[in-house]
Amino acid sequence: MSSTAELLKGAAELFPDEVVTSAHVRHLDLPQGAGRFALITLDNGLDHTKPTTFGPQSLANLDKAIDQVEEEAARGEITGVGITGKPFIFAVGADLKGVEVIRRREDALAIGKGGHDVFKRLSSLAVPTFAYYNGAAMGGGVEVGLHCTYRTVSRAVPAFSLPEVFLGLVPGWGGCTLLPNLIGADRAVSVIIENSLNQNKQLKGEQVFELGIADAVFDGADFLEQSLAWTASVLRGEIEVVRPDVDRGEAWDQAVARGRGIADAKVHGAAPAAYRALDIIAAAKNGDLRQGFEAEDRALADLIMSDELRSGLYAFNLVQKRAKRPVGAPDKSLARPVTKVGVVGAGLMASQLALLFVRRLQVPVVLTDIDQERIDKGVAYVHGEIDKLLLKGRVNQDKANRLKALVTGSLDKAEAFSDADFVIEAVFEEMGVKQQVFAEVEAVVPEHAILATNTSSLSVTEMASKLKHPERVVGFHFFNPVAVLPLLEIVRAERTDDASLATAFAVAKSLKKTAVLVKDAPAFVVNRILTRFLGEVLRSIDEGTPVEVADRALAPLGLPMSPIVLLELVGPAVAHHVAGTLHAAFPDRFAVSENLGRVVEAGKRNLYVYDSGKPELDPEVAALFETGDTVLTEEQVRERALDAIAGEIRLMLDEGVVAEAQDIDLCLITGAGWPFHLGGITPYLDREGVSERVTGKRFLEPGAASVPR
């Protein structure tokens, strides 16, 4: 038994629940008399909804298949070896469920070494090897192909990436070393660092070819047939694959420096994975593959044993699994069909909602507002956005015409909503205004119609309290920008019935949003937590801490933006309004900043100016501020903010605002862009000891988002 086989056998014993991938070898005669060819197909025996992965037993199966073709190549029985996947899926990398059970660094090291030992055999066979990327390829799925001599890709490939850095790992089965040596350091940094940290951006098949990762691209319908014909031409010497020389000079160093800049901007040094990947890319400049693979092994072992990765896997599971089965959602069979949508309001938020509804539901959407000019502007916005999709090739002309025809406006609510099944309001955030709107809408809609509110902080129960049928009112809170942030907080008011709630969840699913059921409590989840944390930062400024000190305080968490930049994004007026709502509900914990009030009163949208290229407090804003003389350090501001967040989350869980701490984390990840390496927030609070110090206990069980001890 080889050492690789022993390694994989030991790893497989740690992971008995692996979904095992087979590596079937079949033989075929290549066209044009190019000889007999061995084709390995990776297949876990399940349909495309269960993508093929590499766990220890799966790697062992591929190892055995390579044993077979290695012997055939040595005997001269085959002219080449290919590797491809089942329909729609090539392979999507390591089986992450196996990573979660690892408790010892030596077992983590075995994962990296096992993958390297198997994959690199493909580059040392006596015949050329070919990877045929026929479908989705990620992580180890991409890397197994990088070890081959040649690669082809299908134009139909919807998703191709090295997402490891996004999760808290590095591409550790050859990616960090082989990719820059194949396509150059700058392009490799784009794939490994930039795309990964840009919400795990995926490449399409044509882009994989344009980057030089694949040597040829073919249409999906006859992809394998075309790839085999191309393979025959390569083996017969009719096609010579010429790859451009890789610049190993200053351009390589500049690429790594660019990658560090991207990592700093995204994670602010708070998560190690991107920096470890860049170190390996930097060292790969000398082309020493063995040295690179050893560095990948060490990095994988270190990162697998880090709490940042375990938090990343916890976050990944929330987004991939919990998000698809919302806790507390009624039986979906209770949901009513939605064949027409009404939107009250035609401002920017309402127009974004109209665009989303028409794109995803493809049903008539009608906007209303107080005057024709506003309505025309709202409809024009939606039509303009559809035209942009047409220009980008995201929709064809026929579909663009159909979508635009579905979006209309009307001054007459009775005419607009008489046959609507779902009406959502996105008007001014003031209770009296919203109650009046709902009263007007209830008078003209059918009895079965759902009335939804996009309120960010007001009581849905109070909003529905004066209606004849409050049971059909539901909170449907989107996050801005609507097209980017996946979260939808679905609020059950005191009298919301199951059919209305089920319909809301069904609509959310059709909109491709992450729906979380929340109790009708002030500001729900995301805005309550952000307002509490922002309130502590503003309080420290009001007391006398310099703005730049307070604004840097949360940097070690690696949040997507600093508190003041977040305040500017939300808008000082909106933030001030939400703070007022929460102050009215919980005056002992939520303060209203008089300084922020003065900023709003002065009509200022921003606190910073960027004249020097970096953010500096606007002198006009500084002149408005009245502060005390208590100056805190960054550490003191951070401790105060984290303590406040921990205490607020415990209160929210005690109040039943959501079912579990996992839902808090899911909301912050999908609604506020909080990073995977934090796991949302509760794993970080547990890890740093804040949870126990403030609330007396952890939010999660040990090992749930940390290394099992």
Side-chain angles (χ1 to χ4, degrees):
M1 186 184 283
S2 72
S3 60
T4 301
E6 287 172 352
L7 204 65
L8 294 173
K9 185 171 183 290
E13 287 168 1
L14 290 173
F15 184 26
D17 300 326
E18 176 185 353
V19 177
V20 177
T21 296
S22 299
H24 306 288
V25 181
R26 62 187 173 109
H27 296 87
L28 44 92
D29 292 319
L30 289 171
Q32 306 156 10
R36 193 159 172 75
F37 190 75
L39 182 65
I40 300 170
T41 302
L42 303 169
D43 191 347
N44 61 7
L46 302 168
D47 68 19
H48 68 279
T49 64
K50 301 287 190 299
T52 304
T53 53
F54 292 118
Q57 187 56 54
S58 305
L59 286 171
N61 288 343
L62 179 57
D63 200 38
K64 285 179 196 160
I66 296 173
D67 282 344
Q68 178 184 334
V69 298
E70 185 178 57
E71 289 173 12
E72 292 169 354
R75 292 196 297 264
E77 296 170 6
I78 54 175
T79 57
V81 175
I83 184 165
T84 193
K86 67 182 183 181
F88 309 110
I89 304 288
F90 181 77
V92 298
D95 191 327
L96 295 172
K97 293 192 297 295
V99 174
E100 291 172 37
V101 301
I102 293 174
R103 293 169 180 263
R104 303 184 309 160
R105 189 179 186 279
E106 50 264 46
D107 295 326
L109 195 61
I111 294 280
K113 197 164 178 348
H116 274 130
D117 287 352
V118 175
F119 287 3
K120 69 186 180 186
R121 295 183 67 195
L122 291 165
S123 62
S124 57
L125 296 180
V127 294
T129 50
F130 298 78
Y132 305 134
Y133 292 121
N134 64 302
M138 298 174 201
V142 170
E143 290 171 298
V144 69
L146 294 178
H147 286 269
C148 294
T149 323
Y150 304 99
R151 286 156 295 282
T152 67
V153 67
S154 166
R155 280 194 180 88
V157 166
F160 184 105
S161 65
L162 290 170
E164 287 85 351
V165 167
F166 178 67
L167 295 172
L169 286 169
V170 298
W173 285 342
C176 287
T177 303
L178 294 173
L179 192 63
N181 279 291
L182 175 67
I183 64 174
D186 196 62
R187 288 180 166 188
V189 163
S190 293
V191 176
I192 294 170
I193 306 297
E194 188 170 21
N195 289 0
S196 197
L197 291 179
N198 187 17
Q199 292 300 307
N200 194 18
K201 181 182 175 185
Q202 301 293 316
L203 298 169
K204 301 282 193 283
E206 194 75 45
Q207 294 169 300
V208 174
F209 170 65
E210 288 168 0
L211 282 168
I213 299 172
D215 302 303
V217 59
F218 302 112
D219 289 336
D222 56 353
F223 169 70
L224 187 57
E225 185 182 346
Q226 292 277 356
S227 292
L228 291 170
W230 181 85
T231 297
S233 296
V234 170
L235 291 175
R236 286 165 55 86
E238 294 163 4
I239 290 178
E240 182 186 359
V241 173
V242 179
R243 299 182 184 125
D245 289 336
V246 170
D247 188 334
R248 297 182 185 280
E250 194 178 326
W252 193 292
D253 301 331
Q254 289 172 347
V256 173
R258 182 174 76 88
R260 293 196 196 284
I262 293 166
D264 287 344
K266 291 289 187 179
V267 300
H268 314 285
Y275 302 97
R276 290 297 292 268
L278 286 162
D279 288 345
I280 300 168
I281 294 170
K285 182 178 178 179
N286 64 12
D288 186 333
L289 300 187
R290 185 183 62 80
Q291 180 188 52
F293 294 165
E294 288 175 358
E296 289 176 355
D297 286 344
R298 289 192 299 274
L300 267 188
D302 291 344
L303 292 168
I304 285 173
M305 297 312 293
S306 72
D307 285 335
E308 286 88 357
L309 171 71
R310 302 312 171 104
S311 292
L313 294 178
Y314 162 84
F316 182 77
N317 287 331
L318 290 181
V319 171
Q320 294 296 316
K321 296 174 184 173
R322 191 177 184 92
K324 291 177 172 57
R325 291 185 290 276
V327 177
D331 192 309
K332 59 186 178 185
S333 66
L334 297 172
R336 303 188 188 107
V338 173
T339 60
K340 183 178 179 181
V341 172
V343 181
V344 185
L348 182 58
M349 191 67 181
S351 301
Q352 288 184 71
L353 297 182
L355 176 66
L356 180 68
F357 276 99
V358 77
R359 283 194 68 197
R360 298 292 186 220
L361 272 57
Q362 298 186 33
V363 300
V365 176
V366 59
L367 297 103
T368 67
D369 213 314
I370 57 174
D371 59 56
Q372 192 64 46
E373 186 182 346
R374 293 177 198 229
I375 292 169
D376 292 344
K377 188 177 178 183
V379 172
Y381 170 87
V382 180
H383 286 188
E385 292 299 306
I386 292 169
D387 285 335
K388 288 179 189 174
L389 294 172
L390 176 64
L391 284 172
K392 291 176 184 172
R394 303 271 292 277
V395 296
N396 60 27
Q397 186 68 61
D398 180 54
K399 186 167 185 182
N401 291 343
R402 281 189 289 116
L403 290 176
K404 286 200 284 188
L406 288 170
V407 181
T408 58
S410 174
L411 270 171
D412 185 346
K413 289 189 180 69
E415 178 189 291
F417 300 153
S418 63
D419 56 348
D421 307 302
F422 190 100
V423 178
I424 184 166
E425 69 76 21
V427 299
F428 185 65
E429 191 77 349
E430 201 276 311
M431 183 60 74
V433 175
K434 290 184 183 287
Q435 286 180 330
Q436 182 185 340
V437 162
F438 269 166
E440 292 171 2
V441 172
E442 187 183 45
V444 297
V445 296
E447 282 191 11
H448 67 271
I450 305 300
L451 304 184
T453 170
N454 184 46
T455 182
S456 59
S457 61
L458 299 177
S459 166
V460 181
T461 299
E462 186 180 346
M463 212 176 292
S465 62
K466 297 179 181 179
L467 298 179
K468 292 176 187 170
H469 295 285
E471 69 277 2
R472 58 177 170 174
V473 176
V474 63
F476 215 62
H477 180 219
F478 290 88
F479 289 79
N480 203 7
V482 170
V484 176
L485 291 171
L487 180 63
L488 186 49
E489 290 177 335
I490 295 186
V491 186
R492 181 170 207 158
E494 283 178 14
R495 295 179 65 180
T496 307
D497 64 21
D498 282 352
S500 300
L501 199 61
T503 305
F505 274 99
V507 169
K509 186 174 183 182
S510 298
L511 295 176
K512 298 185 178 177
K513 290 295 180 184
T514 297
V516 175
L517 179 63
V518 304
K519 185 180 175 182
D520 187 18
F524 317 125
V525 176
V526 174
N527 283 343
R528 182 164 164 181
I529 292 171
L530 293 186
T531 302
R532 185 79 204 275
F533 125 83
L534 203 51
E536 293 302 322
V537 173
L538 290 173
R539 181 160 69 97
S540 69
I541 294 170
D542 292 347
E543 290 174 356
T545 302
V547 172
E548 61 274 14
V549 173
D551 200 29
R552 282 198 306 266
L554 278 296
L557 277 72
L559 298 177
M561 61 192 73
S562 71
I564 301 301
V565 174
L566 171 65
L567 178 66
E568 293 183 330
L569 178 72
V570 170
V574 173
H576 192 56
H577 179 83
V578 175
T581 301
L582 283 160
H583 176 69
F586 311 115
D588 56 326
R589 301 197 309 280
F590 289 86
V592 175
S593 167
E594 291 184 7
N595 281 327
L596 184 59
R598 281 187 278 271
V599 169
V600 173
E601 204 173 307
K604 300 291 289 185
R605 287 268 326 149
N606 297 88
L607 278 70
Y608 281 150
V609 289
Y610 296 85
D611 298 340
S612 64
K614 61 180 182 179
E616 293 175 349
L617 188 63
D618 184 338
E620 292 181 15
V621 171
L624 296 170
F625 277 19
E626 295 176 14
T627 60
D629 54 9
T630 302
V631 178
L632 302 182
T633 64
E634 289 177 29
E635 291 75 16
Q636 288 171 322
V637 176
R638 180 165 61 252
E639 183 175 317
R640 183 190 274 189
L642 291 175
D643 285 3
I645 291 172
E648 201 62 36
I649 290 172
R650 177 62 64 205
L651 288 167
M652 291 166 72
L653 294 172
D654 291 346
E655 292 166 18
V657 175
V658 290
E660 294 178 293
Q662 285 88 335
D663 294 312
I664 300 268
D665 294 321
L666 182 58
C667 284
L668 286 171
I669 292 163
T670 57
W674 282 32
F676 270 40
H677 71 259
L678 292 182
I681 186 60
T682 67
Y684 179 84
L685 295 172
D686 285 351
R687 191 162 76 225
E688 297 297 312
V690 180
S691 311
E692 290 184 73
R693 186 179 75 242
V694 175
T695 77
K697 57 183 177 179
R698 296 169 60 95
F699 288 111
L700 302 171
E701 291 297 315
S706 54
V707 178
R709 305 298 181 196

